[in-house]
Structure formats: C-alpha cells, structure tokens
Amino acid sequence: MRIRVTAAALCAAVLVAGCGGGGGGDSDAKATDSAAAQGSSSGSGSGSGSASVSGAASEAPAEPLDEAQLKSAALVGGDVDGYQITDFPVKPDDDSTARPADCQPLENMRTASPDPGPKAFVGLLAFGGAGPTAGSATTIGLMAYDGSDAEGILDGLRTALNKCTAYEGGVPARTTAKAAAAPDAGDEAVAFGLETQGDGADAFVVVRSGATVVLFYTATGTGSAAEVPAELVTAQIRKLGA
C-alpha cells in the first residue's frame, strides 16, 4: 500500500469520526497568501519559507541516528496543539516507477522511498482536528542518513523539479509537479506539489537537519489543494535538534 492511499484513507476515517471538514488550501489565493506570510527563503530552498527553526537545526547531530533515536526525536500526541499524532501504520512502498525518469525522485518521495534508502526510518501521521487544518492528514517521515547522502536527497529533488513538470506511473492518472515556497527550516528545505488528474494537489516539504531528512506530506482527502502546516514543520525540526 502506498503512502498517498494510506493518508487519504485514514483522513477519511477521521472525517467519518466527526473530526472536521476541509483541509488546508481551499484555493490558489489561499496558498499564495500563506506562502507570502511565511517569510524569507532559506539559502538552499525553493522559495520563501515559514517560521525559521535554523537555530535548533544547528544542534542536530551530523551522524546518522538509529531507530530508537529517531523515535525519541519524533513528535508525539500533545506536542502540537490541534493535532492527533500516531505512529505510521505501514511500510513505505519502494516499487513505483515514474516516466520520465527525471521525475523519479519526486515519486520516490511521494511513496516515502528515497534513493538511497535511509539507515533508519520512523513514520508518523498527524491529523488536524480544528480550524483550517481540520480533516487534513500529514505524513511525517524521519529518515536517518550519512551526511552526504542526506544532502544528495535534497539535491536530487531540486534537480527533478527543474526538469520535471509531469509524469506517469505510480498512480493510474497523470501527475503534474510544481515547485513551491520552501520553509526556512533546518539546514535546507525543498517544497513542491503533486497533483494527480482528477484530484486536489498534495503538498510536500522535505527538510534536512544534520544527517536526518524529514518528509512532510499533506493530503486533505477533500479534493482541494493541500498545504503542509508550518506548525508541524517547526515543532518537528525543533524537537529533532533539541
């Protein structure tokens, strides 16, 4: 089962349980306003960013963390007001091919299966329960690497976004890709959106903090465009660097 399907399914379960309606980003104007409000860009990101957590990131370990250390650094319920946070219930899917191949790093991140694979992985799901994020589901994946491999993951995403505008494979319909405003988070960050034909755009933020790469992937499950909540990014990167 792929990450996207799981996030949407669990989001639907939250909605059925009465946890709220639409998620982030009801329109292009809202997304634009949010990006403008997020502030200045990081030197290595794709555009303007959200709240800076660079100070915390400077404390992040440069050596790969093991699974127990990642687990200790991961958000838990109660860390971020307005969100239910649970362990991610399935393993990443590393058997999804994008055509053309230039787009593969984006599809890899959609399935939380970057190449090379991490030395350790801890996954979470964060559900928005109130306000503009109600009903949204954000996958958070903490991935431990050697430092050079962690840098390579983000370099690969930036290269893919410069070359890839659309691809097939991974899901039945054509998927379009578009770079987005990256937050000023960690040591560097990349943000982008993937929109499958007939569905709303899903939002991705990938942050490197030391030798750890953190994926944030938000799907609303409502058909509207998604936004990765800045408060989740800020809280997770700060906790990772604590």
Side-chain angles (χ1 to χ4, degrees):
M1 182 180 296
R2 295 192 173 94
I3 297 288
R4 182 178 185 279
V5 173
T6 302
L10 289 176
C11 179
V14 172
L15 292 173
V16 169
C19 292
D26 292 333
S27 68
D28 290 342
K30 180 176 178 181
T32 301
D33 291 344
S34 175
Q38 287 174 344
S40 61
S41 65
S42 72
S44 302
S46 303
S48 62
S50 65
S52 172
V53 289
S54 297
S58 66
E59 304 295 329
E63 297 298 320
L65 302 181
D66 60 27
E67 186 172 348
Q69 290 171 313
L70 284 182
K71 191 77 172 175
S72 178
L75 294 175
V76 296
D79 280 349
V80 186
D81 289 344
Y83 291 90
Q84 302 174 47
I85 299 175
T86 65
D87 289 340
F88 188 65
V90 298
K91 295 293 185 182
D93 181 351
D94 59 358
D95 187 25
S96 184
T97 301
R99 301 181 300 275
D102 286 340
C103 303
Q104 190 64 49
L106 305 179
E107 176 63 10
N108 287 347
M109 199 56 70
R110 188 187 71 81
T111 59
S113 304
D115 183 18
K119 294 179 177 295
F121 175 91
V122 168
L124 309 171
L125 279 171
F127 298 104
T133 61
S136 68
T138 298
T139 299
I140 304 173
L142 289 82
M143 298 174 276
Y145 283 95
D146 292 319
S148 59
D149 283 344
E151 293 172 4
I153 294 297
L154 274 80
D155 287 343
L157 289 172
R158 280 189 287 267
T159 298
L161 288 167
N162 284 332
K163 296 180 177 180
C164 175
T165 57
Y167 66 91
E168 296 181 352
V171 293
R174 182 177 175 84
T175 297
T176 58
K178 185 177 181 180
D184 182 12
D187 295 306
E188 56 178 329
V190 173
F192 59 96
L194 295 179
E195 183 171 3
T196 300
Q197 185 175 355
D199 200 357
D202 294 336
F204 296 78
V205 169
V206 183
V207 181
R208 180 180 67 82
S209 182
T212 304
V213 173
V214 187
L215 161 68
F216 301 88
Y217 169 14
T218 300
T220 65
T222 64
S224 61
E227 291 181 53
V228 173
E231 58 269 33
L232 287 178
V233 177
T234 299
Q236 180 57 82
I237 301 305
R238 180 176 291 140
K239 187 171 184 179
L240 181 61

PDB file of all heavy atoms in Angstrom, residues 17-31:
ATOM      1  N   ALA A  17     -15.396  10.025  11.667  1.00  0.00           N
ATOM      2  CA  ALA A  17     -15.489  10.081  13.126  1.00  0.00           C
ATOM      3  C   ALA A  17     -15.909  11.451  13.627  1.00  0.00           C
ATOM      4  O   ALA A  17     -16.061  11.663  14.825  1.00  0.00           O
ATOM      5  CB  ALA A  17     -14.133   9.715  13.743  1.00  0.00           C
ATOM      6  N   GLY A  18     -16.064  12.401  12.711  1.00  0.00           N
ATOM      7  CA  GLY A  18     -16.566  13.707  13.104  1.00  0.00           C
ATOM      8  C   GLY A  18     -15.492  14.689  13.479  1.00  0.00           C
ATOM      9  O   GLY A  18     -15.732  15.614  14.256  1.00  0.00           O
ATOM     10  N   CYS A  19     -14.280  14.529  12.925  1.00  0.00           N
ATOM     11  CA  CYS A  19     -13.168  15.395  13.302  1.00  0.00           C
ATOM     12  C   CYS A  19     -13.080  16.643  12.455  1.00  0.00           C
ATOM     13  O   CYS A  19     -12.166  17.429  12.628  1.00  0.00           O
ATOM     14  CB  CYS A  19     -11.847  14.623  13.195  1.00  0.00           C
ATOM     15  SG  CYS A  19     -11.718  13.330  14.437  1.00  0.00           S
ATOM     16  N   GLY A  20     -13.960  16.854  11.492  1.00  0.00           N
ATOM     17  CA  GLY A  20     -13.948  18.129  10.783  1.00  0.00           C
ATOM     18  C   GLY A  20     -14.084  17.966   9.305  1.00  0.00           C
ATOM     19  O   GLY A  20     -14.136  16.862   8.773  1.00  0.00           O
ATOM     20  N   GLY A  21     -14.063  19.113   8.598  1.00  0.00           N
ATOM     21  CA  GLY A  21     -14.273  19.135   7.159  1.00  0.00           C
ATOM     22  C   GLY A  21     -13.004  19.370   6.411  1.00  0.00           C
ATOM     23  O   GLY A  21     -12.023  18.697   6.608  1.00  0.00           O
ATOM     24  N   GLY A  22     -12.985  20.401   5.515  1.00  0.00           N
ATOM     25  CA  GLY A  22     -11.901  20.614   4.572  1.00  0.00           C
ATOM     26  C   GLY A  22     -10.589  20.875   5.233  1.00  0.00           C
ATOM     27  O   GLY A  22     -10.497  21.368   6.344  1.00  0.00           O
ATOM     28  N   GLY A  23      -9.507  20.554   4.491  1.00  0.00           N
ATOM     29  CA  GLY A  23      -8.163  20.748   4.995  1.00  0.00           C
ATOM     30  C   GLY A  23      -7.618  22.071   4.561  1.00  0.00           C
ATOM     31  O   GLY A  23      -8.319  22.996   4.197  1.00  0.00           O
ATOM     32  N   GLY A  24      -6.233  22.165   4.576  1.00  0.00           N
ATOM     33  CA  GLY A  24      -5.578  23.410   4.217  1.00  0.00           C
ATOM     34  C   GLY A  24      -5.706  23.688   2.747  1.00  0.00           C
ATOM     35  O   GLY A  24      -5.873  22.802   1.926  1.00  0.00           O
ATOM     36  N   GLY A  25      -5.605  24.971   2.374  1.00  0.00           N
ATOM     37  CA  GLY A  25      -5.512  25.369   0.969  1.00  0.00           C
ATOM     38  C   GLY A  25      -6.779  25.181   0.193  1.00  0.00           C
ATOM     39  O   GLY A  25      -6.835  24.327  -0.683  1.00  0.00           O
ATOM     40  N   ASP A  26      -7.808  25.983   0.450  1.00  0.00           N
ATOM     41  CA  ASP A  26      -9.042  25.842  -0.306  1.00  0.00           C
ATOM     42  C   ASP A  26      -8.958  26.447  -1.681  1.00  0.00           C
ATOM     43  O   ASP A  26      -9.804  26.202  -2.519  1.00  0.00           O
ATOM     44  CB  ASP A  26     -10.205  26.488   0.464  1.00  0.00           C
ATOM     45  CG  ASP A  26     -10.545  25.714   1.728  1.00  0.00           C
ATOM     46  OD1 ASP A  26     -10.298  24.509   1.744  1.00  0.00           O
ATOM     47  OD2 ASP A  26     -11.054  26.334   2.661  1.00  0.00           O
ATOM     48  N   SER A  27      -7.962  27.274  -1.965  1.00  0.00           N
ATOM     49  CA  SER A  27      -7.850  27.910  -3.259  1.00  0.00           C
ATOM     50  C   SER A  27      -6.425  28.321  -3.505  1.00  0.00           C
ATOM     51  O   SER A  27      -5.600  28.345  -2.608  1.00  0.00           O
ATOM     52  CB  SER A  27      -8.755  29.148  -3.316  1.00  0.00           C
ATOM     53  OG  SER A  27      -8.254  30.135  -2.431  1.00  0.00           O
ATOM     54  N   ASP A  28      -6.129  28.655  -4.797  1.00  0.00           N
ATOM     55  CA  ASP A  28      -4.796  29.132  -5.136  1.00  0.00           C
ATOM     56  C   ASP A  28      -4.481  30.414  -4.381  1.00  0.00           C
ATOM     57  O   ASP A  28      -3.341  30.649  -3.977  1.00  0.00           O
ATOM     58  CB  ASP A  28      -4.684  29.383  -6.647  1.00  0.00           C
ATOM     59  CG  ASP A  28      -4.696  28.083  -7.425  1.00  0.00           C
ATOM     60  OD1 ASP A  28      -4.446  27.036  -6.826  1.00  0.00           O
ATOM     61  OD2 ASP A  28      -4.957  28.142  -8.632  1.00  0.00           O
ATOM     62  N   ALA A  29      -5.485  31.255  -4.178  1.00  0.00           N
ATOM     63  CA  ALA A  29      -5.256  32.508  -3.474  1.00  0.00           C
ATOM     64  C   ALA A  29      -4.834  32.245  -2.045  1.00  0.00           C
ATOM     65  O   ALA A  29      -3.941  32.901  -1.516  1.00  0.00           O
ATOM     66  CB  ALA A  29      -6.533  33.361  -3.491  1.00  0.00           C
ATOM     67  N   LYS A  30      -5.452  31.259  -1.408  1.00  0.00           N
ATOM     68  CA  LYS A  30      -5.093  30.937  -0.038  1.00  0.00           C
ATOM     69  C   LYS A  30      -3.663  30.456   0.031  1.00  0.00           C
ATOM     70  O   LYS A  30      -2.910  30.816   0.928  1.00  0.00           O
ATOM     71  CB  LYS A  30      -6.044  29.878   0.521  1.00  0.00           C
ATOM     72  CG  LYS A  30      -5.721  29.502   1.953  1.00  0.00           C
ATOM     73  CD  LYS A  30      -6.750  28.528   2.492  1.00  0.00           C
ATOM     74  CE  LYS A  30      -6.409  28.106   3.912  1.00  0.00           C
ATOM     75  NZ  LYS A  30      -7.361  27.157   4.452  1.00  0.00           N
ATOM     76  N   ALA A  31      -3.280  29.578  -0.905  1.00  0.00           N
ATOM     77  CA  ALA A  31      -1.906  29.075  -0.925  1.00  0.00           C
ATOM     78  C   ALA A  31      -0.923  30.206  -1.123  1.00  0.00           C
ATOM     79  O   ALA A  31       0.139  30.244  -0.508  1.00  0.00           O
ATOM     80  CB  ALA A  31      -1.753  28.034  -2.044  1.00  0.00           C
TER      81      ALA A  31
END
